[in-house]
Amino acid sequence: MENPFVLSPYEGKEFFCDREKETSAIIDDLQNGVNVTLISPRRYGKTGLVFRVLDELSRMQPKTVLCYCDIYSADDLEGFVKLFSEAVVRSVKVEPAIKKFFSVFGGIRPLLSYDPITGSPQVSITYQNEGQKLDTLRSIFDYLGSQKDKFVVAFDEFQVIRNFKGVNMEALLRTYIQPLKNVRFVFCGSKKHVMADMFVNAKSPFYESTHVVYLEKIDRDVYGSFIGNLFETGHRRIEADALDFVLEWTRCHTFYTQYLCHRIFRNASKKIDTAEVKRACAQILQENAPGFIERRNLLTDKQWQFLKAVAKEGSVEQPTAGGFINKYKLGTGAAVKRMLESLVEKELLLETLSLEGKSYSVYNVFLSRWLESI
């Protein structure tokens, strides 16, 4: 049968593990007029959860227009408008609605085409000045607010708007979003400190304007049961020790767990033991080694040494403590602090907060496991 461990964000709820509580909470908020902020580390399944919510809403409220917009590639206001316009075109679908949408753009004439391979809409807009870009953005929100239908708009990787030059996107968007009565929003982001500052900091325009949901790892027992059941649907059985090894080796980090299980299923015979799992792990590390080595060339020697030290520890709670620094000959506490901040910003280290304090681990689990072995 086809591999049930899908690597795309979402292929249906039967291939999607848990998140029942989060799905229910987000849907409840949206149905009751509350906008939502969803924050999680990269590759925890954030985008999949958004699609899961939209999938459920499509069944519960078939007349609601569902709009997903990934703005990760946007560098500025113009890029944001382009991606947002294309997302609206995808969501309204029918030609009369698309023509009505473009009719609100005033003095500019957008050109609509479709990617010959994917079929995705592509919108091209030529501006005479910066003011037209602002007018176009406002026109999109005016269009949404003027419709009889209800809309749910999900912005993925929302934190990138902080990087836009020459415009305060947070203040601008808050101004356009606040009056809308028929549109609910989900703001998703993977840079926790940036997203938290945008929605929790009293000085930020979006302060306390949404219900903030933090996405954690899936419960180990729940994940183990889900994985075992998916293998069984493909007429394969994974031994308990082998399943434990999968969850331990990938640290229950959703993407890496899914990727390893996908590889095991692809390689496996009817019965999967720990040796077979370890062979799949070795394959993955070997295939990714060239990319890891390239990453090494982007860091200083000390940064690489520090990253390797964290990998060998698995998780570090006090990276500036003398014991850790001396063990791996990392230099001074001040130097380690600077490296720590840089590697977190580069998303090579993952900072995790708990009631006990902060801890740090290598963000990419496969890179971490490779670093342990060299």
Side-chain angles (χ1 to χ4, degrees):
M1 68 172 287
E2 190 172 342
N3 198 316
F5 295 98
V6 296
L7 299 181
S8 56
Y10 186 75
E11 292 290 343
K13 63 180 180 180
E14 64 269 29
F15 304 112
F16 188 78
C17 181
D18 195 34
R19 304 299 192 195
E20 296 297 332
K21 183 174 69 174
E22 295 91 342
T23 301
S24 178
I26 293 171
I27 289 174
D28 186 60
D29 282 334
L30 296 174
Q31 288 182 323
N32 285 279
V34 179
N35 294 329
V36 176
T37 298
L38 178 60
I39 304 174
S40 83
R42 197 177 300 282
R43 295 183 161 182
Y44 262 39
K46 163 179 55 66
T47 301
L49 175 58
V50 172
F51 287 142
R52 174 78 184 92
V53 167
L54 297 181
D55 185 29
E56 196 65 28
L57 282 173
S58 70
R59 286 190 285 270
M60 299 170 66
Q61 301 174 190
K63 292 186 178 180
T64 298
V65 181
L66 307 173
C67 178
Y68 170 80
C69 182
D70 183 355
I71 62 170
Y72 183 72
S73 62
D75 297 319
D76 50 24
L77 172 61
E78 184 174 344
F80 180 91
V81 170
K82 173 180 170 61
L83 293 171
F84 194 11
S85 299
E86 290 170 349
V88 173
V89 170
R90 282 195 302 271
S91 66
V92 298
K93 299 176 183 176
V94 297
E95 188 172 342
I98 294 173
K99 286 183 177 179
K100 185 178 180 181
F101 170 56
F102 284 137
S103 70
V104 303
F105 279 39
I108 62 173
R109 293 185 178 182
L111 296 177
L112 176 64
S113 60
Y114 291 89
D115 186 285
I117 298 175
T118 65
S120 297
Q122 297 178 321
V123 176
S124 300
I125 305 174
T126 301
Y127 302 97
Q128 301 300 319
N129 52 59
E130 288 296 315
Q132 286 187 332
K133 297 176 186 178
L134 294 171
D135 290 342
T136 304
L137 179 63
R138 185 182 65 248
S139 296
I140 297 174
F141 286 101
D142 287 345
Y143 166 81
L144 296 177
S146 67
Q147 302 306 295
K148 294 181 180 180
D149 293 327
K150 291 182 179 180
F151 282 75
V152 172
V153 177
F155 288 116
D156 209 349
E157 300 299 345
F158 189 68
Q159 74 275 345
V160 303
I161 69 169
R162 275 275 174 103
N163 301 326
F164 295 177
K165 305 296 184 185
V167 60
N168 186 340
M169 281 296 288
E170 290 172 74
L172 202 61
L173 292 177
R174 178 67 193 268
T175 300
Y176 295 152
I177 286 171
Q178 196 167 17
L180 300 178
K181 304 299 183 184
N182 64 320
V183 189
R184 298 277 66 84
F185 292 87
V186 182
F187 306 100
C188 312
S190 57
K191 285 204 170 184
K192 188 174 182 179
H193 63 289
V194 178
M195 290 293 291
D197 188 65
M198 292 171 75
F199 291 93
V200 180
N201 187 339
K203 296 180 180 180
S204 298
F206 279 104
Y207 173 64
E208 290 193 343
S209 63
T210 69
H211 174 209
V212 180
V213 177
Y214 292 94
L215 198 60
E216 305 293 343
K217 289 182 180 179
I218 298 172
D219 177 82
R220 185 184 175 111
D221 291 338
V222 171
Y223 213 168
S225 178
F226 171 80
I227 291 169
N229 289 338
L230 274 194
F231 274 115
E232 287 184 5
T233 64
H235 308 291
R236 291 159 171 80
R237 187 176 70 83
I238 184 168
E239 295 181 351
D241 289 347
L243 181 53
D244 286 341
F245 187 89
V246 167
L247 295 171
E248 177 64 28
W249 198 78
T250 61
R251 297 171 183 158
C252 288
H253 193 132
T254 307
F255 171 80
Y256 303 100
T257 304
Q258 194 79 357
Y259 193 99
L260 176 56
C261 288
H262 183 277
R263 176 59 59 90
I264 293 167
F265 188 94
R266 192 178 80 181
N267 293 350
S269 55
K270 297 294 184 181
K271 186 177 179 182
I272 304 162
D273 58 15
T274 303
E276 192 154 5
V277 172
K278 289 182 177 180
R279 282 194 293 273
C281 295
Q283 284 179 359
I284 290 169
L285 296 189
Q286 184 178 24
E287 291 167 2
N288 282 275
F292 297 153
I293 294 170
E294 285 296 323
R295 200 164 305 181
R296 190 263 173 266
N297 294 331
L298 300 176
L299 303 176
T300 66
D301 290 341
K302 279 294 184 182
Q303 286 177 329
W304 184 253
Q305 187 179 348
F306 180 65
L307 195 67
K308 193 193 304 188
V310 174
K312 290 184 179 297
E313 293 293 317
S315 178
V316 178
E317 295 179 357
Q318 296 180 313
T320 58
F324 176 71
I325 290 174
N326 294 333
K327 181 178 179 180
Y328 293 101
K329 300 180 175 59
L330 298 173
T332 66
V336 167
K337 190 170 185 290
R338 288 193 297 272
M339 288 190 290
L340 185 68
E341 292 171 352
S342 175
L343 292 172
V344 169
E345 181 61 29
K346 294 176 188 291
E347 294 189 334
L348 288 170
L349 284 181
L350 174 62
E351 180 182 83
T352 304
L353 300 176
S354 67
L355 293 175
E356 289 74 34
K358 295 180 181 179
S359 63
Y360 299 88
S361 58
V362 177
Y363 213 128
N364 183 318
V365 175
F366 294 160
L367 173 60
S368 183
R369 294 303 186 185
W370 183 77
L371 287 169
E372 289 176 37
S373 65
I374 62 173

